[in-house]
């Protein structure tokens, strides 16, 4: 009996070791965003409280909301790239080092702006401002009401939202404050009009009237949207690495293909893992493309409304953050398919020729 008991103890111990060391068990590395589970709930009645909103800032990029896109060109010049989106508007991307800015444009009108740059005026806030300071200067409500025509949308923030992505209402404009958990500082900010906020539905939502539906893209347009999202993943990660005084990661077409294929595979085969039932682990997939490397890693996400929220989600996840800001990595590949996102990082293996140089 004692012998059997000892065998059971040893077997249990070995099982625990296998459980925690098994490379296949890494689903925790996939980050599921809040939009994965949110549902808009119709509300039958609504009492109009006629609350006065905080006066709109008189300076800064929020003043550009609902103005002509000509104002953007006059102030910032021609964008580096114009990306289409699944929401129907365009992203005008300014991805120069130290001047990163994304501008949402719909039919020639500015509907939103996002930046993480300290040099850009985001009054009444400033990038790098502490969360404590933000709470001292602003009165926050956990519920924000948006009126668009005859429709009313009531957004509710949970406790996590109030610490990581805070929604603030001003007259005619709404601000989303993205907080970096580690530094407890404002790392990025998005200003938008009410229609854009109602269409995004980034928080728990009750509504009276009709939901604002985004258009369904054709399969051809979806391919373009996937490519645009992949490019934005690379832009944003490099923008944040630059702020951390880390070198930018170089994009490789072979890694972009690898990342895009994995996002598509997850969507079509309905799985969320680094290990594909068809193509295997990240190591298997890298080897199949004959990509030489010293180190490799992969960040995954799904259930986010766009790339901005994906990257902020990764920043506020310890494991994903370590990958994003690891100075050992030199090259990157980014891929997206509908709402599945993949980013592959490698430290490029030095060849004999590069060593001689």
């Amino acid at each position: 009996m004692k012998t059997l008991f000892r065998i059971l103890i040893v077997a249990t111990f070995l099982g625990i070791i296998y459980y925690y060391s098994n490379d296949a068990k890494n689903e925790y590395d996939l980050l599921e965003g809040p939009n994965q589970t949110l549902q808009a709930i119709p509300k039958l009645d609504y009492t109009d409280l006629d609350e006065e909103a905080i006066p709109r800032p008189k300076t800064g990029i929020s003043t550009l909301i609902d103005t002509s896109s000509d104002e953007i060109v006059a102030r910032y010049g021609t964008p580096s790239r114009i990306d289409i989106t699944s929401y129907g508007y365009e992203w005008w991307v300014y991805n120069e080092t130290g001047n990163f800015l994304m501008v949402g444009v719909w039919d020639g009108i500015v509907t939103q702006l996002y930046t993480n740059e300290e040099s850009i005026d985001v009054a009444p806030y400033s990038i790098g401002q502490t969360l404590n300071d933000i709470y001292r200067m602003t009165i926050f409500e956990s519920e924000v009401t948006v009126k668009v025509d005859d429709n009313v949308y009531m957004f509710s923030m949970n406790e996590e939202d109030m610490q990581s992505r805070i929604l603030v209402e001003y007259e005619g404009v709404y601000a989303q404050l993205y907080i970096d958990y580690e530094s407890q500082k404002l790392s990025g900010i998005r200003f938008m009009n009410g229609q854009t906020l109602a269409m995004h539905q980034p928080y728990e939502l009750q509504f009276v009237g009709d939901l604002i539906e985004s258009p369904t893209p054709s399969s051809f347009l979806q391919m373009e949207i996937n490519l645009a999202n992949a490019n934005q993943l690379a832009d944003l990660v490099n923008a944040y690495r630059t702020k951390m005084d880390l070198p930018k990661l170089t994009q490789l077409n072979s890694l972009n293909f690898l990342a895009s294929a994995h996002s598509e595979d997850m969507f079509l085969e309905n799985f969320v893992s680094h290990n594909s039932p068809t193509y295997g682990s990240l190591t298997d997939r890298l080897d199949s493309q004959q990509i030489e490397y010293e180190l490799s890693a992969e960040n995954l996400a799904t259930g986010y409304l766009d790339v901005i929220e994906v990257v902020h989600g990764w920043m506020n996840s310890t494991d994903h953050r370590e990958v994003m800001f690891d100075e050992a990595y030199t090259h990157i590949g980014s891929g997206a398919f509908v709402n599945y996102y993949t980013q592959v990082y490698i430290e490029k293996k030095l060849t004999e020729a590069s060593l001689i140089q």
Side-chain angles (χ1 to χ4, degrees):
M1 189 69 179
K2 289 183 178 179
T3 301
L4 178 60
F5 184 68
R6 291 193 185 104
I7 291 173
L8 287 173
I9 291 176
V10 171
T12 302
F13 179 70
L14 291 175
I16 292 172
I17 292 176
Y18 176 78
Y19 181 87
Y20 284 104
S21 63
N22 185 3
D23 289 337
K25 185 172 179 57
N26 50 19
E27 265 81 6
Y28 68 87
D29 283 336
L30 176 110
L31 202 63
E32 293 194 26
N35 293 88
Q36 186 79 355
T37 56
L38 293 182
Q39 287 185 328
I41 302 174
K43 190 175 176 67
L44 297 179
D45 58 358
Y46 169 69
T47 302
D48 191 349
L49 300 179
D50 284 329
E51 294 181 352
E52 290 188 8
I54 305 172
R56 183 170 176 168
K58 296 181 179 180
T59 61
I61 60 174
S62 71
T63 61
L64 295 168
I65 295 295
D66 290 330
T67 65
S68 168
S69 57
D70 293 339
E71 294 288 332
I72 299 296
V73 175
R75 184 176 299 195
Y76 298 105
T78 304
S80 306
R81 193 179 67 246
I82 295 179
D83 294 339
I84 64 172
T85 74
S86 59
Y87 294 100
Y89 54 76
E90 297 174 335
W91 271 127
W92 288 18
V93 181
Y94 295 82
N95 59 7
E96 300 87 352
T97 300
N99 193 35
F100 186 82
L101 178 69
M102 294 175 65
V103 182
V105 176
W106 192 324
D107 290 336
I109 301 299
V110 177
T111 60
Q112 61 183 312
L113 300 102
Y114 167 86
T115 188
N116 63 0
E117 294 290 350
E118 295 179 12
S119 59
I120 294 179
D121 186 356
V122 295
Y125 306 100
S126 58
I127 301 299
Q129 189 174 7
T130 66
L131 180 59
N132 286 338
D133 189 29
I134 290 171
Y135 267 105
R136 278 196 297 268
M137 64 174 283
T138 309
I139 298 175
F140 295 108
E141 299 289 344
S142 61
E143 295 184 350
V144 173
T145 300
V146 182
K147 298 180 183 178
V148 179
D149 299 326
D150 294 328
N151 306 304
V152 180
Y153 308 94
M154 292 151 282
F155 293 99
S156 299
M157 288 177 282
N158 57 34
E159 186 175 345
E160 182 179 351
D161 293 330
M162 294 294 287
Q163 297 296 318
S164 62
R165 52 183 199 129
I166 308 167
L167 181 63
V168 187
E169 178 185 5
Y170 293 92
E171 287 179 343
V173 67
Y174 299 83
Q176 270 187 297
L177 312 180
Y178 293 101
I179 307 299
D180 180 351
Y181 274 154
E182 184 168 298
S183 67
Q184 288 291 286
K185 292 180 179 180
L186 181 65
S187 60
I189 190 167
R190 183 197 316 237
F191 293 103
M192 75 200 95
N193 61 19
Q195 182 166 343
T196 301
L197 175 59
M199 184 167 57
H200 281 177
Q201 300 174 30
Y203 307 92
E204 291 184 9
L205 170 64
Q206 296 185 67
F207 67 97
V208 176
D210 299 320
L211 285 176
I212 299 177
E213 302 285 351
S214 57
T216 301
S218 66
S219 57
F220 176 77
L221 282 179
Q222 186 62 59
M223 291 174 61
E224 289 193 36
I225 292 167
N226 295 338
L227 178 60
N229 287 339
N231 286 331
Q232 291 166 25
L233 277 178
D235 287 339
L236 272 166
V237 166
N238 273 328
Y240 275 102
R241 283 179 65 93
T242 299
K243 288 172 64 67
M244 297 284 187
D245 294 323
L246 295 169
K248 281 188 173 183
L249 298 168
T250 302
Q251 292 195 69
L252 285 180
N253 288 334
S254 56
L255 289 179
N256 287 336
F257 172 82
L258 197 78
S260 296
H262 191 62
S263 288
E264 183 176 1
D265 189 28
M266 286 192 295
F267 176 83
L268 295 178
E269 299 301 326
N270 193 29
F271 74 93
V272 284
S273 172
H274 296 279
N275 295 297
S276 165
T278 306
Y279 303 105
S281 66
L282 174 59
T283 299
D284 295 330
R285 289 179 275 126
L286 287 167
D287 290 345
S288 71
Q289 297 297 312
Q290 298 181 328
I291 298 173
E292 296 185 344
Y293 62 96
E294 297 289 349
L295 297 172
S296 66
E298 185 176 62
N299 276 346
L300 305 176
T302 190
Y304 286 90
L305 68 89
D306 63 10
V307 171
I308 292 171
E309 299 242 331
V310 169
V311 172
H312 279 280
W314 282 344
M315 281 185 62
N316 283 335
S317 167
T318 302
D319 295 327
H320 298 83
R321 184 189 185 94
E322 287 179 359
V323 173
M324 275 182 62
F325 298 139
D326 192 327
E327 59 184 346
Y329 296 119
T330 57
H331 292 74
I332 197 173
S334 305
F337 195 88
V338 189
N339 65 338
Y340 286 79
Y341 304 89
T342 303
Q343 197 157 54
V344 178
Y345 302 72
I346 65 168
E347 178 190 7
K348 196 83 161 61
K349 190 171 186 178
L350 295 175
T351 63
E352 291 186 10
S354 63
L355 288 172
I356 293 173
Q357 293 175 353

